[in-house]
Amino acid sequence: MTIKEIVKSEPGGQIAKAYKFAEVAHAKQKRKTGEPYFVHPLATADILNQWHLDEATIIAGLLHDTIEDTDVKSETIAKEFGEQVAFLVNGVTKLGKIKYRGAEAEAKAENLRKMILAISEDLRVVFIKLADRLHNMRTLSALPPQKQKRIALETHEIYAPLAYRLGMQNLSGELQDLAFPYLYPEEYRWLQVQVAEAYEARIKYLEKLKPVVKKALEDKGINPVTIDFRAKRYSSLYKKLLRQGMDVEKIYDLVAMRLILKTQADCYGALGIIHSIWPPLPGRIKDYIAMPKPNGYRSLHTTVIGPEKKLLEFQIRTDEMHDEAEHGIAAHWIYKSHGGVALNKQKRVFEETKWVEQLKRWQERQGEVGATPDEFLESLKVDFFKDRIFVITPRGEVLDLPVGSTPVDFAYEIHSDVGDTAMGAKVNNQLVPLSHELHSGDFVEILTQKNKKPSEDWLIFVKTSNARDRIRLSLRKKQTGLRKTAPLKAEIKMIVKDRVGLIKDIAIVIARSHVNIEGLVTALAPGGIFQSIKAVCDTAEKQKIERLIFKLKAIKEIKEISYRLLEPQVV
Ligand code: MN
């Protein structure tokens, strides 16, 4: 069912209400394609519906651009559609303000992907963002080239990998394919020429084999749900060609045959039947049912030597596995029905749970099949974000800071000069005190004043060691010439063979040299036979210290002795 059909069948429902609301809100806007703007939120909601998402998500999909692009206020959405929908729309609006500028280290892209998850708080916000991005990518050709490049790059480096992590491989692949011609136009044209013929030849070859496979399965009592062909995506084909010397002939999984079967037992049965017809290529049998991929993907893969000695890849899975491979974590989402109209084709019912619990269950399943902790789980661990927040600079860049950080921490993270000259801050466009506690998703702007100096009070509330060190350094500079630095000190280090009364003897020698000991630390030296003793003395007078060391050397248990001057400290 499309959203339009849902609206028709339930004109009094919430989806119909959101449909009209968004249509009116965007009435004056046009897309770059010339169409009415409403086409876009409608397409976004349709995609979410195809992913079997719940009603609140679909409604939020219809409304997702209203706060950003029209006069509609978040409060109005809350009043009309409830807090949950307003929360989702606000989340998408926040994500929309983050811009990835590329040319950054992979670590930074990874950080941004995590941040998107953290800021979203609810995975449904990510789903809406992904559906929004998918439609924008499908209609990217209408935008000016500069914008095309930026959006394609962001999709390639952030959103497609994020979709992959969430197990939405199909979406991830489609996003990569849509981005590919904009990022690598020449390579794309080359590939089209190279591959077109090869594709066609492969499909013809597979068409001939399809009835053979079907009959072999049916003879053994396995009735396939579907048998179809799966062409390798351009983006992944290109990656593979780069590894294989750009020779299209060597890519034998250019088109794979995909069998969708009723049960897991059928899958293993079919694998055996295929191997009895054509010999498998050693090392190419992959059992992702027993050992799912880290992102949850389950399927059997095998490559066989087919007729005419051509290599041929099979992907074998159940309907359920197929649905999961297509929709990933979204396939595990809450399925809700609208007054009897089920949104999903299959009648799987999931109880309504918070997304954190969903994730936990997902993780447990990973644990059961013996998967090791991996990137996917790492990036989704909600705990991981517990002690970090992610905030956004006026340029749309993301900084991650410890929980409890303040605008001062933020300022020093940007640059020490910004920190030193900070005089005020705006968070989400509101003036706040410099001690204000920041939260994930905050947009932070620092107001500076030339020649301003940091205040000692900042040390009370800053959270990052970076800010603390910088403030101290700055204060020290300021105080130079005003106050004296503390007298220099010396630390004497000895390696000794311990005995009863040794420390006392050492202390006496030091005292007779008119040197005060400020601290004395003893520890077992490496090897465990000797002790090391460090004594901090309140003088740095070279003569005095060296005379002292000369005297200490007379104690025969002191095997080694050295000293160093300690850094001056501000008092
Ligand atoms: Mn949008």
Side-chain angles (χ1 to χ4, degrees):
M1 254 220 216
T2 65
I3 298 297
K4 273 193 175 157
E5 285 162 355
I6 293 175
V7 170
K8 232 179 240 166
S9 73
E10 278 179 90
Q14 286 290 299
I15 290 184
K17 185 177 164 190
Y19 181 102
K20 277 165 220 147
F21 186 96
E23 198 175 24
V24 171
H26 292 294
K28 288 181 198 144
Q29 288 173 278
K30 282 220 175 337
R31 296 203 88 208
K32 285 284 189 312
T33 54
E35 303 162 298
Y37 192 86
F38 179 63
V39 167
H40 166 67
L42 179 59
T44 304
D46 264 315
I47 293 166
L48 293 165
N49 188 26
Q50 283 156 22
W51 294 347
H52 318 313
L53 288 158
D54 65 325
E55 190 180 73
T57 311
I58 290 166
I59 292 171
L62 283 165
L63 304 173
H64 82 268
D65 276 330
T66 54
I67 294 183
E68 178 74 16
D69 296 343
T70 76
D71 305 331
V72 172
K73 294 267 170 303
S74 164
E75 296 77 44
T76 314
I77 292 180
K79 215 179 92 209
E80 297 291 325
F81 301 98
E83 291 294 340
Q84 201 187 154
V85 171
F87 172 83
L88 295 176
V89 175
N90 284 332
V92 179
T93 308
K94 268 187 202 167
L95 290 188
K97 296 199 171 139
I98 302 161
K99 301 262 183 320
Y100 178 69
R101 277 156 217 281
E104 295 179 59
E106 172 57 21
K108 210 147 187 197
E110 178 61 19
N111 212 10
L112 189 55
R113 291 192 283 264
K114 281 179 182 160
M115 192 264 331
I116 286 168
L117 289 172
I119 284 186
S120 301
E121 289 179 59
D122 185 319
L123 267 189
R124 290 177 299 174
V125 172
V126 181
F127 296 149
I128 298 166
K129 183 68 197 169
L130 289 171
D132 165 65
R133 178 52 55 107
L134 179 59
H135 184 247
N136 282 335
M137 287 304 293
R138 284 175 178 167
T139 52
L140 196 60
S141 60
L143 293 188
Q146 204 54 33
K147 249 186 153 175
Q148 286 174 343
K149 268 253 155 72
R150 193 194 73 72
I151 293 173
L153 183 71
E154 190 177 77
T155 300
H156 172 67
E157 297 200 4
I158 306 295
Y159 288 104
L162 189 61
Y164 186 84
R165 294 291 179 76
L166 296 172
M168 304 165 94
Q169 325 206 73
N170 202 37
L171 171 66
S172 174
E174 185 174 353
L175 287 173
Q176 291 291 16
D177 259 15
L178 289 166
F180 187 63
Y182 296 99
L183 296 176
Y184 307 100
E186 277 168 43
E187 291 85 343
Y188 178 70
R189 277 191 290 273
W190 177 84
L191 206 57
Q192 275 182 313
V193 176
Q194 296 294 310
V195 168
E197 243 175 82
Y199 264 140
E200 223 169 288
R202 288 303 283 178
I203 300 242
K204 265 192 199 142
Y205 178 70
L206 292 177
E207 287 285 3
K208 268 197 302 192
L209 299 182
K210 184 173 161 180
V212 180
V213 173
K214 192 161 186 278
K215 182 159 186 311
L217 293 177
E218 283 168 355
D219 284 350
K220 298 271 186 236
I222 296 173
N223 293 310
V225 180
T226 51
I227 300 180
D228 60 6
F229 311 132
R230 173 97 182 105
K232 203 169 183 62
R233 294 184 174 282
Y234 272 20
S235 47
S236 66
L237 175 59
Y238 185 70
K239 251 197 256 164
K240 197 157 192 175
L241 279 169
L242 283 176
R243 287 198 305 265
Q244 311 231 336
M246 305 315 275
D247 186 356
V248 179
E249 295 296 309
K250 283 188 191 154
I251 312 284
Y252 46 81
D253 60 348
L254 197 59
V255 185
M257 194 178 287
R258 192 161 57 188
L259 314 182
I260 310 287
L261 305 170
K262 288 195 192 95
T263 66
Q264 189 169 306
D266 280 356
C267 293
Y268 287 104
L271 185 72
I273 292 166
I274 287 160
H275 288 168
S276 72
I277 315 175
W278 300 297
L281 203 64
R284 293 287 310 176
I285 306 165
K286 304 265 164 68
D287 185 350
Y288 296 121
I289 292 177
M291 300 276 282
K293 280 192 188 178
N295 67 2
Y297 177 79
R298 291 184 296 158
S299 201
L300 299 174
H301 289 192
T302 186
T303 303
V304 301
I305 304 164
E308 301 161 50
K309 294 257 181 298
K310 280 186 182 158
L311 296 178
L312 162 62
E313 193 188 76
F314 283 91
Q315 296 177 358
I316 307 165
R317 57 179 84 145
T318 65
D319 221 3
E320 192 195 349
M321 294 171 197
H322 182 59
D323 199 40
E324 269 182 35
E326 297 287 298
H327 301 118
I329 205 164
H332 290 248
W333 205 247
I334 318 148
Y335 291 177
K336 266 194 181 174
S337 58
H338 310 278
V341 187
L343 274 177
N344 56 314
K345 315 169 279 204
Q346 294 156 47
K347 291 195 182 88
R348 281 197 279 154
V349 181
F350 284 85
E351 43 177 352
E352 194 165 356
T353 37
K354 284 197 183 116
W355 72 282
V356 177
E357 281 151 9
Q358 291 269 347
L359 280 176
K360 249 191 234 151
R361 231 187 291 155
W362 183 279
Q363 291 182 0
E364 278 163 18
R365 217 192 67 200
Q366 296 290 316
E368 278 161 22
V369 298
T372 49
D374 51 59
E375 285 183 334
F376 171 69
L377 298 182
E378 271 314 314
S379 66
L380 286 184
K381 251 183 220 151
V382 181
D383 278 356
F384 183 84
F385 306 119
K386 261 197 186 139
D387 50 352
R388 305 298 288 178
I389 57 161
F390 298 86
V391 295
I392 302 145
T393 72
R395 293 184 52 207
E397 279 153 350
V398 174
L399 296 183
D400 87 285
L401 295 166
V403 163
S405 286
T406 63
V408 173
D409 294 290
F410 174 91
Y412 277 104
E413 207 61 26
I414 291 181
H415 196 278
S416 55
D417 288 346
V418 177
D420 283 349
T421 58
M423 54 153 302
K426 277 183 173 177
V427 169
N428 303 325
N429 252 331
Q430 306 261 330
L431 273 172
V432 297
L434 285 171
S435 58
H436 176 86
E437 186 181 331
L438 300 175
H439 298 281
S440 262
D442 281 347
F443 291 86
V444 187
E445 195 183 331
I446 299 297
L447 312 170
T448 58
Q449 190 179 49
K450 244 192 173 172
N451 299 325
K452 167 112 179 26
K453 291 276 178 286
S455 150
E456 206 165 345
D457 300 341
W458 293 358
L459 289 170
I460 299 163
F461 57 73
V462 292
K463 284 285 177 297
T464 54
S465 50
N466 180 42
R468 191 166 298 123
D469 294 348
R470 292 284 169 182
I471 294 166
R472 288 214 178 104
L473 193 76
S474 223
L475 289 171
R476 199 178 304 166
K477 271 191 212 153
K478 187 168 124 188
Q479 281 154 347
T480 309
L482 294 176
R483 290 195 210 175
K484 273 188 185 166
T485 52
L488 283 170
K489 294 175 189 188
E491 183 192 64
I492 299 175
K493 190 181 169 189
M494 293 155 272
I495 301 290
V496 303
K497 192 163 190 306
D498 206 358
R499 63 156 163 84
V500 178
L502 176 66
I503 302 274
K504 195 180 162 202
D505 290 351
I506 291 171
I508 289 169
V509 174
I510 294 174
R512 279 187 191 148
S513 310
H514 303 285
V515 172
N516 286 318
I517 304 175
E518 288 197 351
L520 195 126
V521 183
T522 69
L524 207 59
I529 303 163
F530 298 103
Q531 296 274 339
S532 92
I533 300 175
K534 283 177 186 172
V536 175
C537 309
D538 71 347
T539 178
E541 253 187 80
K542 221 177 161 189
Q543 272 193 327
K544 220 172 176 180
I545 302 255
E546 274 170 3
R547 218 179 308 143
L548 170 60
I549 284 179
F550 182 74
K551 282 183 194 160
L552 284 170
K553 275 181 176 168
I555 301 175
K556 74 172 196 301
E557 286 84 4
I558 296 178
K559 304 295 176 192
E560 274 175 51
I561 186 161
S562 61
Y563 79 98
R564 67 185 181 106
L565 297 181
L566 298 179
E567 290 286 311
Q569 282 177 327
V570 179
V571 281

